[in-house]
Amino acid sequence: MAAILDLSETSTILKYLNAYHCIGRSATNADTVISAPEVSRVHAVIEWFQQQWFIRDVSHNGTWVNNEKLLKDTFRKLELGDIVTFASGETYGMKVADLAPPQNMLLALDERAQQTSQAPIILTDYNLLPNEDKPEIVLFYAQCKGQWYKEFIDDANGHAYPVNDLDTLRFSEQNWQINLNSQSEQTLQLSKPKLLASQIKYRFNLSLDEENTELHITTLDEQHSLSNNAHHYLTLNLARYRDSDARKGLAECDQGWVLPEILAQELGYDISLFNTHVCRAKKQFRQILGGACDGDELIERQGRRIRFAGSFFRIYKGNELIVNRGQGKASLTVLHG
């Protein structure tokens, strides 16, 4: 992520660049504010295009790069180490400290964190925050809606709340600002055909003592073997609810729905651990399918209820096929990945 260092400050705190970054006097229109009357409300603009950073002057009193005054409204490519000054050509300035592409990130807002130059958190399309081991919040991008959402791990209802650029998140007793500066990973993968939940087949390999669960996923042109993981066992038990309802003759739209607190109690989880496993499962689905299908489309929420969205799945316990939902005759050979 590109960054600039304010030369008028003695600290080494970096200001990170947005893909379209305004510098000027206006607190409402500028991303980097210079409070001086000779600086225009919007004095200069730094932009990312064609995989490079450019600056252009839009002011009355001029912008300089390495003591060379820019022609107004003319693009100038930025280089690492460039010194950019405004208005007088020497009083107000900044140094180009990084030229990496713009990225979605979280910036620390607390004064203590800013004083220690705490590094930003770089966002992917699905983030367990502050970390995957002990998450408090999930921040993710829903490609189908073109919207970012947050979920709270300790929320029994699993509600997803929309969030936008410059909104604030709080976790680990610290405030963070959302900075959205780039296209989502999934948007950049539009060449990959969209997958429907019904186009994915699942095979669960469950040990006899139910201590280990492997998961194998097959799409039209790919196969993925996922080794033992706790969230596979949760997904498997959601699949069991769906199979049970199918055996009762319920319509497909009504199959598999269960209250999280009921399943959590059956599995011996508290609601935070239950939601953590759900989020880990969704994240893994997103990763292995390469953006062709959102995790939210494979593990669905409806009101307070949750269900596994798969229509085609098999469950093996040891060598025994115990569930064969939506598929034809199955081989009894057990796969191990």
Side-chain angles (χ1 to χ4, degrees):
M1 70 215 118
I4 51 178
L5 174 63
D6 189 343
L7 297 179
S8 67
E9 297 182 2
T10 57
S11 66
T12 59
I13 297 176
L14 297 177
K15 294 178 174 63
Y16 297 97
L17 296 178
N18 300 320
Y20 185 89
H21 195 97
C22 294
I23 299 168
R25 191 180 74 249
S26 171
T28 56
N29 297 323
D31 301 292
T32 296
V33 178
I34 301 175
S35 299
E38 58 268 42
V39 172
S40 300
R41 291 178 59 81
V42 176
H43 195 99
V45 176
I46 299 177
E47 300 177 67
W48 172 260
F49 64 94
Q50 297 180 347
Q51 302 301 305
Q52 297 179 95
W53 288 99
F54 293 85
I55 187 171
R56 59 188 174 96
D57 174 63
V58 293
S59 71
H60 296 295
N61 294 328
T63 300
W64 286 255
V65 176
N66 301 331
N67 296 320
E68 179 184 343
K69 188 175 182 180
L70 301 182
L71 294 175
K72 190 171 183 178
D73 283 321
T74 299
F75 288 96
R76 160 74 178 260
K77 180 184 173 182
L78 286 175
E79 303 288 352
L80 192 65
D82 279 350
I83 302 297
V84 182
T85 50
F86 309 96
S88 66
E90 56 186 33
T91 307
Y92 311 103
M94 53 191 60
K95 180 180 180 179
V96 178
D98 192 296
L99 285 172
Q103 292 179 285
N104 298 322
M105 67 184 80
L106 295 178
L107 297 177
L109 287 180
D110 296 345
E111 183 177 349
R112 175 179 56 83
Q114 293 177 348
Q115 289 174 347
T116 57
S117 301
Q118 184 164 349
I121 297 174
I122 304 303
L123 298 175
T124 65
D125 276 2
Y126 201 92
N127 309 269
L128 279 69
L129 303 166
N131 55 62
E132 293 202 18
D133 293 332
K134 295 183 179 179
E136 299 173 27
I137 287 180
V138 183
L139 181 64
F140 64 93
Y141 181 76
Q143 172 67 22
C144 60
K145 299 179 180 178
Q147 175 66 52
W148 284 83
Y149 290 90
K150 64 179 178 182
E151 292 182 3
F152 298 97
I153 291 294
D154 60 0
D155 181 4
N157 296 325
H159 288 160
Y161 303 90
V163 294
N164 298 296
D165 189 29
L166 304 183
D167 282 355
T168 300
L169 293 181
R170 184 170 180 81
F171 53 87
S172 297
E173 300 182 347
Q174 188 172 333
N175 293 318
W176 297 82
Q177 184 184 70
I178 301 172
N179 276 52
L180 303 177
N181 299 307
S182 68
Q183 292 178 302
S184 77
E185 294 169 2
Q186 294 176 1
T187 300
L188 297 176
Q189 298 173 4
L190 291 178
S191 59
K192 193 154 190 174
K194 182 71 175 175
L195 277 174
L196 301 177
S198 59
Q199 295 176 302
I200 305 171
K201 296 181 179 180
Y202 307 82
R203 175 173 180 151
F204 298 92
N205 289 342
L206 181 63
S207 63
L208 291 174
D209 59 6
E210 301 205 5
E211 289 295 323
N212 297 290
T213 309
E214 298 173 353
L215 175 59
H216 304 269
I217 295 178
T218 303
T219 65
L220 296 175
D221 55 3
E222 292 182 334
Q223 291 186 348
H224 304 275
S225 295
L226 310 178
S227 59
N228 177 57
N229 232 315
H231 56 258
H232 298 335
Y233 187 62
L234 182 144
T235 306
L236 180 149
N237 279 279
L238 284 171
R240 281 171 161 168
Y241 267 92
R242 178 141 195 168
D243 177 63
S244 176
D245 286 346
R247 292 174 185 272
K248 296 173 185 176
L250 272 64
E252 187 170 340
C253 61
D254 296 323
Q255 295 172 10
W257 294 108
V258 60
L259 293 173
E261 55 266 33
I262 292 178
L263 183 53
Q265 185 176 19
E266 292 176 358
L267 297 176
Y269 301 159
D270 61 29
I271 199 62
S272 293
L273 181 58
F274 177 89
N275 285 336
T276 297
H277 284 322
V278 169
C279 292
R280 287 172 178 164
K282 289 181 178 181
K283 181 173 182 178
Q284 188 170 45
F285 286 144
R286 280 173 171 252
Q287 290 174 334
I288 65 171
L289 296 174
C293 192
D294 284 349
D296 286 348
E297 298 170 11
L298 305 182
I299 298 181
E300 298 177 306
R301 296 267 193 177
Q302 185 183 83
R304 296 183 58 219
R305 303 182 300 168
I306 190 172
R307 77 164 178 176
F308 174 60
S311 302
F312 304 101
F313 55 91
R314 296 172 182 159
I315 301 176
Y316 285 84
K317 190 169 183 178
N319 289 325
E320 181 184 1
L321 176 64
I322 60 174
V323 172
N324 186 25
R325 179 55 46 197
Q327 301 187 61
K329 186 176 180 180
S331 167
L332 292 181
T333 302
V334 178
L335 301 175
H336 293 281

